[in-house]
Amino acid sequence: MLASFLRLPLYGWSLALPILGAMTATDTRPQRIVFALCMSVPFHVILSVVNDLADIEVDRGDPRKAGRPLVSGTISSGVALAVIVWAVVFAFLMDPIVLGFDMDRLLVLFLAFASTAAYNIAGKRTPVPPFMDFLQGVGAAAFAYYGAQAAGEATRDSLLVAVAITVFITFINGVHAGLRDLSSDYSYGARTTPVLFGARPSATDGPHIPRGLVVYAWCLQVLLASLTLGPFLSYSANEGLSWLTAIVGLGFGVASFASLYLSLNSRSEMSRRYIFAGVQLLTGFGMVALLAGGRSGGPVAVAVFTLVLFPLIVRRLARRIGSARRKLAHR
């Protein structure tokens, strides 16, 4: 119940953001890096609990989410609100105590929390859903940049990684996440980017994906690849690039483009589209991690990529084990 309430399988993402920021910082100190990682806990509360609290009515129409503690009533809205208040107070009280008062850093932290919360509360209720996707991207990017500030000194690379994260989240949330939740969002009347482009659920097959949404997705994919893989073309031409990093970059890039094509291919089965969307999400994040690692960052990018992937694999294995146990119990 606690794992579902806090969305623990997604915690790897919240933990990866300050790591990406710290990877680009200078004058870092171990104790400051550890604190930046600890701040991922209150950020994750804002990312997950606020979202579930704001979308209770929408989620009640989605069978996949009916068992979540807030939706089912196992955990009350009052308890969720208390956890959110704790997260905000903890973050903004501990930062100046541990790291010293710095208005710029606190403003970036405020931007991370406020943008993420604003998307969760109003993301599906405005006439401009692409902007709300962008706003969520700003929240994630600000928290990564905060990671750089908390760990040491933010650099130009910190800003570039923040821009790449903004594009990545705008893309993933506006395309894959929107299509995943299309049925419940559409029936509830929520306003999301796929709905805006004309996507509609189907009772017999996967959702109808309009050409405009496909073009939108490919434009963001090309922009993301340019921001993340573009610098490595410059490195390889001017200063050289390690073979391992080149192989990792090529693998992430090819897999990201191929999985995007397969996830939006109307001829593919819905289950396969969902799998390819997950692959595209992970490999797109891998490109961002590669950018944060720099010209020799192949191994680091793989490590951060694994950090995000591992809890998702654990969740899938736990579901399969639970399903197998239920089948055995009915025999």
Side-chain angles (χ1 to χ4, degrees):
M1 181 181 67
L2 182 62
S4 178
F5 174 64
L6 295 176
R7 303 260 204 104
L8 290 185
L10 299 179
Y11 178 63
W13 164 249
S14 298
L15 186 61
L17 288 175
I19 293 177
L20 294 179
M23 287 164 58
T24 64
T26 60
D27 299 327
T28 58
R29 282 173 273 175
Q31 63 271 26
R32 292 176 68 98
I33 295 176
V34 170
F35 178 77
L37 299 183
C38 291
M39 290 293 282
S40 65
V41 175
F43 176 79
H44 189 70
V45 169
I46 303 301
L47 181 67
S48 58
V49 180
V50 172
N51 179 268
D52 284 355
L53 189 60
D55 286 350
I56 286 180
E57 296 301 325
V58 179
D59 291 344
R60 282 175 178 160
D62 190 338
R64 299 168 306 159
K65 302 177 181 179
R68 289 182 177 176
L70 279 173
V71 178
S72 64
T74 307
I75 294 179
S76 68
S77 298
V79 171
L81 185 59
V83 172
I84 293 168
V85 171
W86 167 85
V88 173
V89 172
F90 175 86
F92 286 91
L93 184 64
M94 294 305 296
D95 177 90
I97 290 177
V98 176
L99 301 180
F101 181 81
D102 186 313
M103 181 58 73
D104 290 340
R105 191 179 63 245
L106 285 174
L107 286 175
V108 171
L109 183 62
F110 174 79
L111 180 63
F113 278 51
S115 296
T116 302
Y119 168 79
N120 287 333
I121 294 171
K124 297 181 179 181
R125 299 172 175 85
T126 68
V128 283
F131 173 76
M132 300 308 295
D133 298 331
F134 169 79
L135 190 63
Q136 187 182 33
V138 169
F143 189 57
Y145 194 82
Y146 170 82
Q149 292 179 310
E153 294 291 333
T155 64
R156 181 181 177 183
D157 289 340
S158 306
L159 183 60
L160 181 58
V161 168
V163 172
I165 290 173
T166 303
V167 174
F168 172 72
I169 295 296
T170 303
F171 172 28
I172 295 302
N173 198 69
V175 178
H176 295 312
L179 289 174
R180 179 198 62 196
D181 297 337
L182 180 62
S183 180
S184 59
D185 287 342
Y186 188 77
S187 62
Y188 184 76
R191 297 174 177 177
T192 65
T193 298
V195 172
L196 176 69
F197 275 97
R200 298 293 183 268
S202 171
T204 58
D205 197 1
H208 165 66
I209 304 177
R211 182 172 299 179
L213 182 62
V214 175
V215 173
Y216 175 74
W218 278 103
C219 288
L220 289 177
Q221 169 70 7
V222 171
L223 177 59
L224 178 65
S226 300
L227 289 170
T228 55
L229 301 181
F232 290 94
L233 297 177
S234 175
Y235 292 150
S236 60
N238 300 323
E239 304 175 25
L241 193 66
S242 71
W243 279 106
L244 181 57
T245 299
I247 292 172
V248 171
L250 180 64
F252 280 144
V254 171
S256 182
F257 276 90
S259 56
L260 176 60
Y261 170 77
L262 293 170
S263 68
L264 298 179
N265 185 356
S266 59
R267 297 180 181 179
S268 300
E269 295 179 2
M270 188 57 197
S271 58
R272 291 186 178 181
R273 283 198 226 171
Y274 185 78
I275 292 173
F276 287 126
V279 173
Q280 206 278 327
L281 184 156
L282 290 169
T283 52
F285 170 75
M287 293 194 298
V288 177
L290 192 69
L291 174 65
R295 62 175 62 87
S296 301
V300 179
V302 172
V304 179
F305 174 83
T306 304
L307 176 67
V308 174
L309 181 61
F310 179 74
L312 297 175
I313 294 177
V314 171
R315 177 179 63 176
R316 183 169 291 274
L317 289 175
R319 286 178 175 177
R320 290 191 176 183
I321 293 172
S323 177
R325 286 179 175 175
R326 286 190 294 271
K327 289 181 179 179
L328 289 173
H330 285 86
R331 287 183 179 179

